Amino acid sequence: QMQTPAIVVSGVSSGVGKTTVAVGLMRALRDAGLRVQPFKVGPDFLDPMQHDAACGVPSVNLDGWMLGRAACLESYAAACTASHADIAVVEGVMGLHDGLDGASDVGSTAQMAKWLGVPVVLVLDAWCLSRSAAAMVLGYSLFDPDVLLGGVVFNKVGAASHSEWLRQGMLSHEGTAKIRILGSLPTNSRIHVAERHLGLHRPTHDDSSGEVADRLSTLSLLIQSSIDLDALLDLARAQAATATAHRKAHMLPVPPRNITPSKGHTLHDTPRIRIGVAHDAAFCFYYADNLRLLEAAGAVLVMFSPLHDAQLPCVDALIIGGGYPELYAETLSKNTSMRASVCQFSAQGKLIWAECGGLMYLSRSLLVLPEHTGAGENQGASSNALQHTATTATHCNTLQ
């Protein structure tokens, strides 16, 4: 699957509709019968959840600053191979050239597009633009000539005359006349995804399955009617062979993972480590590759729910990731049997890896303020209940 065609969807900045276009393309291509492998540039938990809902396979994060080139390329190849992808769609982060600092492309979407060797589809919010949009596209096409700008999508376009003015602007300069306009998207309130303090709503927890299905269906139809998918696929396929050779030239061989049998065992009968992973509406911030690598190293991952399960499964270690425990503080607090089970697990000296919301869950108490309750999302609890102090993990310090 190394020759999987791919595109990178980037924006001129945050807030221009990059995620809407990326998720819409993912769903429209899936609806066309293609196996789509989604990716997200940089550290992000919420956008990949939208990808998962659209594609039906886990989205993989490609973080150039954290992982480096070789690891990103290995993750990319592994995900495309595992999903037997017909096409990969990579959603960028912030604006195309925004990254670690202003002096380099480290951590940026541009860096990742160059590492992968695939074309960029640039998204612009054209609501208040006409010919000026072409000037912006020209700047992005010239700023880094090593970035392959394959086409543009104009978002929030008004009447047909607005779309025509944008097209005329692109044709009015030789530097932009050769850049393909892949489509113009009109404004549609039915595809809007609500936001909260950490980003977009989660498709599988904050909205009903019917709402998610309706929004994705509407978005897919909008993309199909507004964007030239055949041209986009031609763009990705035309670059696939060159991109493959480019990546192969910079990939490092994956070192073998040597698993040493425990004393008295052979490799064949060595028991596999079982790791419990908290996974529910309260704890859902995980990177797919972290879990994949644990399984590749021989671990058995056992999912459990601090919200709904009465006690821990039979495991050797725990991972409690981030999420929104503050939205479910009352339910977590009332699940005393699970809290006691976690406390006993800790008292036995077993390993617990907790981060962000997971670390909050292991605290003695959690004071939930009204502004962090989600305004009605916390299971319909009253405002008084939302301000309670929710004792979470234990009355002992599980972090010791």
Side-chain angles (χ1 to χ4, degrees), residues 55-355:
C55 300
V57 296
S59 182
V60 173
N61 293 75
L62 301 173
D63 191 323
W65 176 80
M66 184 179 295
L67 298 179
R69 186 172 194 162
C72 283
L73 295 182
E74 191 274 330
S75 290
Y76 177 85
C80 288
T81 299
S83 64
H84 304 285
D86 297 311
I87 186 167
V89 178
V90 183
E91 181 188 350
V93 59
M94 301 182 289
L96 176 59
H97 298 286
D98 300 322
L100 177 65
D101 53 41
S104 71
D105 64 2
V106 175
S108 70
T109 303
Q111 180 190 57
M112 192 57 60
K114 290 187 290 185
W115 285 358
L116 297 176
V118 302
V120 171
V121 174
L122 188 67
V123 180
L124 286 84
D125 182 342
W127 181 246
C128 297
L129 296 172
S130 57
R131 190 166 186 251
S132 296
M136 294 176 65
V137 174
L138 179 63
Y140 276 84
S141 69
L142 297 175
F143 187 78
D144 186 344
D146 292 330
V147 175
L148 176 59
L149 182 55
V152 298
V153 171
F154 294 120
N155 191 27
K156 297 183 180 179
V157 176
S161 58
H162 186 195
S163 180
E164 177 62 15
W165 295 338
L166 292 166
R167 186 188 70 84
Q168 291 173 352
M170 291 287 288
L171 292 174
S172 70
H173 192 285
E174 62 179 2
T176 53
K178 60 186 178 182
I179 299 174
R180 184 72 176 265
I181 301 175
L182 294 170
S184 298
L185 289 178
T187 300
N188 188 321
S189 60
R190 291 181 62 194
I191 63 175
H192 175 71
V193 179
E195 297 187 45
R196 62 157 60 90
H197 63 283
L198 291 182
L200 299 175
H201 272 206
R202 302 160 298 170
T204 54
H205 299 304
D206 297 318
D207 301 318
S208 70
S209 58
E211 290 174 326
V212 174
D214 179 68
R215 183 167 62 244
L216 287 174
S217 176
T218 300
L219 181 54
S220 176
L221 292 173
L222 182 65
I223 292 291
Q224 292 174 49
S225 63
S226 305
I227 292 181
D228 189 340
L229 293 180
D230 289 334
L232 182 138
L233 287 170
D234 288 344
L235 175 67
R237 289 166 178 162
Q239 188 66 17
T242 302
T244 298
H246 174 77
R247 289 194 297 273
K248 283 184 176 180
H250 293 89
M251 284 189 71
L252 298 177
V254 179
R257 296 183 173 91
N258 297 317
I259 302 176
T260 303
S262 57
K263 188 175 182 180
H265 291 274
T266 65
L267 184 60
H268 178 72
D269 65 3
T270 297
R272 298 175 67 185
I273 297 296
R274 292 169 57 86
I275 302 176
V277 181
H279 202 287
D280 55 24
F283 306 101
C284 52
F285 287 177
Y286 296 100
Y287 291 127
D289 257 12
N290 285 348
L291 302 181
R292 175 181 69 86
L293 290 171
L294 285 171
E295 290 181 316
V300 175
L301 303 185
V302 182
M303 303 299 170
F304 73 96
S305 170
L307 280 172
H308 305 298
D309 295 342
Q311 60 184 18
L312 293 174
C314 181
V315 293
D316 304 296
L318 293 180
I319 296 177
I320 310 177
Y324 291 104
E326 67 273 20
L327 298 184
Y328 305 92
E330 189 170 13
T331 300
L332 290 169
S333 178
K334 289 180 177 179
N335 192 352
T336 55
S337 61
M338 174 56 77
R339 288 165 41 216
S341 183
V342 172
C343 184
Q344 182 181 22
F345 190 90
S346 175
Q348 293 171 351
K350 295 183 178 180
L351 175 65
I352 302 177
W353 176 276
E355 56 187 57

